[in-house]
């Protein structure tokens, strides 16, 4: 239970929070004032009032320009999510009043196919027949901004780390397999062990530390006792099994069913001890969505192979 004194704490004004974020994100006070359609003097006054309300200094003013204090940095981290939550609330209330539910947008990383996304949301879609749904690919660098700008309502990806502005949960797992061309040395094996992969380049879609999925694969290789030879796929947006057709000496971790693919030019092989790739959902704090809750609660714990 919260302490009774917490209810007497001042609540920051939403408009002033928006003005604070504009100042924190802009190069100059003039740029921030233009962004929020007020004069520089009015904006400076609003920031001072916000500081007085909160009882803290948000900016250092000793030098030319404004830099955030530690308290200001903390406020900026949380203010974006609060403002997005407020916009989400306005949109939700208006939609209820108009009896016209807004489109629920599911963003998903390129590592998850549209078919896999549908298997995750299918049960929720069947339960909430009035909710229109759109699924669209989102690259990892856009996850946070797209959620904070209300361009997507939920992000699905392969990963486990949580950006500081967001809430997350691992909602399922999927077995990985290995794709190789038909004339690749590993194509003749009945099943693949991780030690078999050690001598061959592995295709990924983004460099290490630029993709949580790449980081997951690299970590799994290292736990298996070898440092992977990484190559970046130069063709983005096509099924993962096509990567080995672009780089025929390499192999790729995929979720496609075992067997031939692409007219027999590619073979997808089972692992003797398959890695399990986590599927993570990301969403904004300070927001409520019955449909999102339905997705999180009804997603299958173990996804079937892509296209199966």
């Amino acid at each position: 239970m919260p302490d009774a004194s917490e209810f007497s704490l001042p609540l920051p004004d939403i408009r002033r929070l928006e003005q604070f974020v504009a100042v924190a994100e802009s190069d100059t006070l003039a740029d921030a004032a233009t962004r929020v359609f007020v004069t520089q003097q009015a904006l400076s006054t609003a920031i001072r009032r916000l500081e007085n309300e909160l009882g803290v200094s948000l900016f250092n003013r000793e030098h030319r320009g404004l830099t955030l204090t530690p308290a200001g940095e903390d406020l900026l981290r949380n203010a974006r999510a609060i403002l997005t939550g407020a916009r989400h609330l306005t949109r939700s209330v208006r939609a209820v009043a108009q009896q016209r539910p807004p489109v629920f947008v599911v963003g998903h990383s390129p590592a998850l196919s549209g078919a896999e996304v549908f298997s995750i949301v299918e049960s929720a879609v069947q339960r909430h027949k009035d909710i229109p749904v759109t699924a669209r690919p989102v690259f990892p660098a856009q996850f946070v901004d797209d959620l904070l700008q209300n361009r997507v309502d939920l992000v699905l990806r392969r990963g486990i780390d949580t950006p500081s502005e967001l809430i997350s949960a691992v909602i399922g797992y999927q077995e990985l397999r290995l794709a190789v061309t038909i004339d690749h040395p590993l194509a003749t094996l009945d099943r693949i062990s991780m030690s078999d992969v050690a001598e061959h380049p592995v295709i990924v879609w983004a460099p290490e530390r630029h993709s949580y999925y790449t980081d997951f694969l690299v970590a799994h290789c290292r736990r298996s006792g070898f440092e992977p030879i990484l190559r970046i796929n130069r063709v983005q947006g096509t099924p993962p099994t096509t990567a080995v057709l672009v780089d025929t000496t390499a192999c790729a971790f995929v979720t496609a069913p075992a067997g031939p693919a692409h007219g027999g030019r590619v073979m997808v092989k089972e692992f003797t001890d398959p890695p399990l790739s986590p599927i993570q959902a990301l969403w904004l704090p300070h927001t409520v969505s019955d449909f999102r809750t339905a997705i999180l609660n009804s997603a299958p714990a173990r996804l079937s192979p892509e296209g199966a």
Side-chain angles (χ1 to χ4, degrees):
M1 291 289 292
D3 187 275
S5 63
E6 292 186 17
F7 291 103
S8 64
L9 289 172
L11 297 177
D13 179 271
I14 290 293
R15 177 60 175 161
R16 288 183 190 139
L17 272 185
E18 188 174 37
Q19 292 168 334
F20 162 76
V21 170
V23 174
E25 293 181 340
S26 300
D27 293 331
T28 66
L29 193 63
D31 290 342
T34 300
R35 173 173 161 180
V36 292
F37 307 104
V38 298
T39 65
Q40 291 186 53
Q41 182 178 357
L43 184 56
S44 181
T45 299
I47 297 301
R48 290 287 190 186
R49 286 179 178 171
L50 180 61
E51 290 178 317
N52 289 336
E53 288 174 357
L54 297 176
V56 300
S57 294
L58 299 172
F59 291 95
N60 294 307
R61 298 175 171 86
E62 292 84 2
H63 307 289
R64 298 184 66 179
L66 297 175
T67 59
L68 289 170
T69 64
E73 291 174 353
D74 185 67
L75 180 60
L76 181 61
R77 277 193 298 271
N78 291 280
R80 292 190 184 104
I82 291 171
L83 291 172
T84 302
R87 296 186 193 102
H88 174 86
L89 177 61
T90 300
R91 185 178 63 169
S92 176
V93 169
R94 288 178 176 176
V96 169
Q98 296 168 359
Q99 297 184 327
R100 189 177 62 189
V103 175
F104 189 94
V105 182
V106 179
H108 62 95
S109 76
L112 282 169
S113 71
E116 290 166 335
V117 171
F118 182 77
S119 69
I120 292 171
V121 306
E122 181 179 7
S123 180
V125 168
Q126 296 299 338
R127 273 200 236 166
H128 295 263
K129 297 184 182 297
D130 60 324
I131 304 293
V133 180
T134 295
R136 67 176 181 84
V138 178
F139 286 100
Q142 299 173 264
F143 287 164
V144 174
D145 281 348
D146 277 3
L147 282 165
L148 289 173
Q149 296 300 322
N150 280 138
R151 290 190 286 262
V152 298
D153 299 289
L154 184 72
V155 166
L156 299 173
R157 70 171 182 183
R158 301 189 191 280
I160 54 174
D161 289 346
T162 306
S164 59
E165 301 97 325
L166 305 179
I167 304 294
S168 76
V170 173
I171 60 173
Y173 292 86
Q174 195 166 20
E175 287 188 7
L176 295 181
R177 297 170 183 80
L178 196 74
V180 294
T181 56
I182 193 65
D183 55 356
H184 191 280
L186 297 181
T188 60
L189 301 181
D190 291 334
R191 281 180 176 260
I192 304 292
S193 69
M194 284 300 296
S195 60
D196 295 324
V197 179
E199 298 179 3
H200 302 279
V202 175
I203 298 180
V204 293
W205 280 256
E208 190 179 2
R209 293 183 295 278
H210 288 75
S211 162
Y212 294 108
Y213 185 42
T214 298
D215 293 346
F216 164 76
L217 294 176
V218 169
H220 187 76
C221 291
R222 287 172 180 161
R223 285 194 299 271
S224 300
F226 67 93
E227 189 68 26
I229 306 165
L230 296 183
R231 291 182 182 169
I232 309 301
N233 188 15
R234 60 187 176 86
V235 178
Q236 301 283 326
T238 60
T241 47
T242 62
V244 296
L245 294 174
V246 178
D247 189 340
T248 58
T249 64
C251 53
F253 288 90
V254 300
T255 55
H262 303 294
R265 293 188 294 157
V266 173
M267 287 297 297
V268 177
K269 313 294 291 189
E270 297 271 12
F271 279 100
T272 54
D273 185 15
L276 292 179
S277 172
I279 298 169
Q280 183 188 43
L282 298 168
W283 68 95
L284 285 171
H286 317 299
T287 59
V288 176
S289 167
D290 291 340
F291 186 68
R292 181 182 69 210
T293 299
I295 293 174
L296 299 177
N297 290 340
S298 64
R302 198 79 165 254
L303 262 68
S304 299
E306 176 188 349

